[in-house]
Amino acid sequence: MCNGQFPLLLNRRGGDYRSDFNNNQTPSNNSKDVEGGGGSFSSGKWPSDYPMKIIWKRGFVRLVLVAGILWMLLILAVLSFHVWSCQSSSVFLSVICNKESKVYNFLNTWGFVPEQHRCPIPVVSNPERIVIPEGRTHDQIVKNISYVMEDEPLKDGSQSSQLFGGHQSWKQREKSFNLSSSMKVHCGFMHNGGADMDLVDIEYVKNCRFVVASGIFDGYDVPHQPSNTSDRSKKLFCFLMVVDEISLDFIKENVTVREDHNRGKWVGIWRLILLKRSPYDEPRRNGKVPKILTHRLFPQAQYSIWIDGKMELLVDPLQILERYLWRGKNTFAIAQHKHHRSIYEEADANKRRKRYARPLIDLHMKIYYYEGMESWSPKKSSVSDVPEGAIIIREHTAMSNLFSCLWFNEVNLFTPRDQLSFGYVVYRLGGAFRFFMFPNCEYNSLFVLHPHTREHSSKVEWVKSLSEFKGNGSSMKESRGGLGLWTPYPGDLNSVALPKVVRASKAG
């Protein structure tokens, strides 16, 4: 009986192996099969270790499958942790997170990162404990920058009209993108071009190393007092509200303005800085002067935080500098746009929302496309080509200042929509300009947005064709800005077909 049962046990353990054993065979035959034939179990000559080989092979396959599944689960867990850490308000997890990594960009592009309108900002809880870095950040490429203050004489020896942004030629513009250790570029504030400050304000800002700056033009807003500002920041920062004469009169009529013993004007924590002789016809373009050229208005400032005039800041300025500059060793930080990543998407939205003349926006974009500016794609190094420009956080290094100058020059030459020019300047600098583009949900948590006291509107925003600028419509042309749109371009733009735009968001 023992010999008769042995093959059955092997068959159960060894799986589907064949044997000549059957119920009609006798024990003696089985015994011969087992004992004889060179170690075979049957007339089929199966090796004695065959069942173990089958077990080993099947076990190995299962082990590989299990290991593969565990490896995939581990990868998914790591990716999930990466996304979760980037959404967390923990300072420690925020340090781990790298939102500029290719992995995060891939996950974000394919929709694996949940969109949030507002999210907690991982700031240091106590501003008193923030350590301010000593000294200044030194750039490796651009070390010194100076500014063009007067235009070159015309061919007949006469001087051109005085403009705040100057008469930058196409050759000068092209040269300004060629980086060197020492550079001289156009950067507004041309001699007798406007935007003059009172002497009392010039003296006051000389002592401002840390600046929170804002601006109100054409009487659209009144200053909003920041919230949650620590005593340390109140002593450390100058809160400077840049206004034109129309806005100053409007503010005086609607809120209390006090005057100190040096004739400085204040609304709460904000020191009002009056700019006399507005440099442009268009109020939107005037607002770009303190916004983009903060380092020129306040040359002694090492750090600045710009916020639009309709905003109420909710986060302590020291916490903002620590979170967006010092923690990641950045010198420039700006938020990602909520809806758009390509400047051509943003341009399409500007036309639909009548932010500026449609044919001039198209011309602006054709110049950029002709000069090689492609639509945004995940292959690009930046998470987006389009920022939310209402908050800009900077250390005023040579490279940061150069970028601001080149950005402003584009706004001065073309449309006043600065979001269309930001990504182009980044592209032209070829990766030399490093910046931190932080999530839009954090941007929305930095402030409370107050409505304008009235809506801005100008006739040029409703223009649908260039023919409307002819005849009586010529008065809609700006006389001191956007001159690059009316200066013959040294290239064939007629053959340029702008890339098709697919709306990424109904809200956009």
Side-chain angles (χ1 to χ4, degrees), residues 236-454:
L236 192 63
F237 282 81
C238 295
F239 291 79
L240 307 176
M241 178 66 70
V242 183
V243 298
D244 59 4
E245 292 173 299
I246 294 175
S247 298
L248 180 60
D249 292 338
F250 178 81
I251 292 169
K252 286 179 177 180
E253 293 173 0
N254 289 275
V255 297
T256 301
V257 177
R258 64 180 178 87
E259 189 169 308
D260 61 25
H261 62 281
N262 291 322
R263 296 185 297 110
K265 297 177 178 61
W266 298 80
V267 176
I269 200 171
W270 292 104
R271 169 67 178 250
L272 302 182
I273 305 295
L274 175 64
L275 288 190
K276 298 178 179 180
R277 295 199 304 135
S278 294
Y280 297 106
D281 312 319
E282 171 63 44
R284 290 189 189 276
R285 207 181 287 273
N286 285 323
K288 309 308 176 185
V289 174
K291 174 179 179 176
I292 301 179
L293 300 183
T294 314
H295 68 287
R296 297 282 276 130
L297 268 180
F298 315 123
Q300 276 72 36
Q302 182 178 355
Y303 297 100
S304 69
I305 300 170
W306 167 267
I307 63 169
D308 277 1
K310 60 184 177 180
M311 292 180 168
E312 174 190 334
L313 193 63
L314 297 180
V315 181
D316 184 85
L318 265 179
Q319 291 176 317
I320 292 175
L321 291 183
E322 191 282 328
R323 162 69 181 104
Y324 297 109
L325 295 188
W326 300 333
R327 189 182 304 177
K329 296 182 179 179
N330 304 303
T331 59
F332 192 106
I334 196 167
Q336 178 181 343
H337 195 278
K338 184 179 181 180
H339 302 296
H340 307 137
R341 298 194 182 196
S342 166
I343 65 170
Y344 303 107
E345 291 176 343
E346 177 66 12
D348 180 69
N350 274 259
K351 290 191 294 182
R352 284 187 283 105
R353 295 187 174 189
K354 298 179 177 63
R355 301 302 191 197
Y356 202 66
R358 298 181 191 181
L360 297 184
I361 290 177
D362 283 338
L363 178 58
H364 187 180
M365 293 299 96
K366 281 187 175 183
I367 291 173
Y368 283 178
Y369 199 66
Y370 179 86
E371 294 178 348
M373 179 68 184
E374 299 288 343
S375 297
W376 184 88
S377 75
K379 295 179 181 180
K380 291 194 173 185
S381 59
S382 60
V383 298
S384 173
D385 287 334
V386 184
E388 290 281 10
I391 294 181
I392 308 172
I393 307 154
R394 285 170 279 205
E395 180 183 358
H396 295 174
T397 64
M399 191 66 189
S400 174
N401 292 345
L402 174 66
F403 177 84
S404 296
C405 291
L406 300 182
W407 186 15
F408 178 81
N409 290 342
E410 296 299 295
V411 173
N412 175 67
L413 273 174
F414 304 120
T415 70
R417 309 307 302 176
D418 54 77
Q419 290 165 307
L420 300 179
S421 303
F422 180 90
Y424 171 80
V425 179
V426 172
Y427 151 70
R428 288 303 305 268
L429 294 180
F433 176 65
R434 303 294 298 275
F435 64 100
F436 176 34
M437 182 169 273
F438 55 91
N440 186 270
C441 65
E442 288 190 26
Y443 159 82
N444 284 301
S445 298
L446 287 168
F447 61 87
V448 170
L449 191 63
H450 295 273
H452 288 303
T453 56
R454 59 189 176 89

Side-chain angles (χ1 to χ4, degrees), residues 35-169:
E35 292 175 359
S40 63
F41 291 101
S42 65
S43 59
K45 305 297 182 179
W46 295 99
S48 60
D49 61 346
Y50 179 78
M52 295 305 297
K53 288 182 178 180
I54 294 297
I55 293 172
W56 186 87
K57 287 181 180 179
R58 291 190 174 185
F60 177 75
V61 171
R62 289 170 183 164
L63 180 63
V64 170
L65 289 175
V66 170
I69 292 172
L70 290 175
W71 181 249
M72 291 177 64
L73 290 174
L74 179 62
I75 292 174
L76 289 174
V78 170
L79 294 177
S80 299
F81 176 79
H82 187 51
V83 172
W84 175 73
S85 67
C86 292
Q87 303 287 326
S88 173
S89 60
S90 167
V91 175
F92 173 74
L93 293 175
S94 175
V95 173
I96 296 176
C97 167
N98 180 12
K99 291 183 179 177
E100 295 182 340
S101 68
K102 292 183 179 180
V103 173
Y104 187 87
N105 288 337
F106 174 81
L107 294 173
N108 195 16
T109 300
W110 288 95
F112 292 107
V113 179
E115 291 188 4
Q116 294 177 294
H117 180 63
R118 292 181 183 270
C119 60
I121 304 173
V123 296
V124 174
S125 58
N126 187 356
E128 302 294 333
R129 296 181 179 177
I130 293 175
V131 178
I132 299 174
E134 296 181 359
R136 293 176 176 267
T137 301
H138 297 286
D139 292 307
Q140 299 300 315
I141 302 176
V142 179
K143 300 183 183 300
N144 297 293
I145 181 171
S146 57
Y147 309 113
V148 177
M149 300 301 294
E150 291 188 356
D151 284 314
E152 297 177 357
L154 300 176
K155 291 182 179 180
D156 60 3
S158 63
Q159 290 290 334
S160 55
S161 59
Q162 301 296 320
L163 297 176
F164 177 81
H167 295 266
Q168 186 185 32
S169 67

Side-chain angles (χ1 to χ4, degrees), residues 26-46:
T26 63
S28 60
N29 290 339
N30 282 326
S31 181
K32 289 179 183 179
D33 286 339
V34 172
E35 292 175 359
S40 63
F41 291 101
S42 65
S43 59
K45 305 297 182 179
W46 295 99

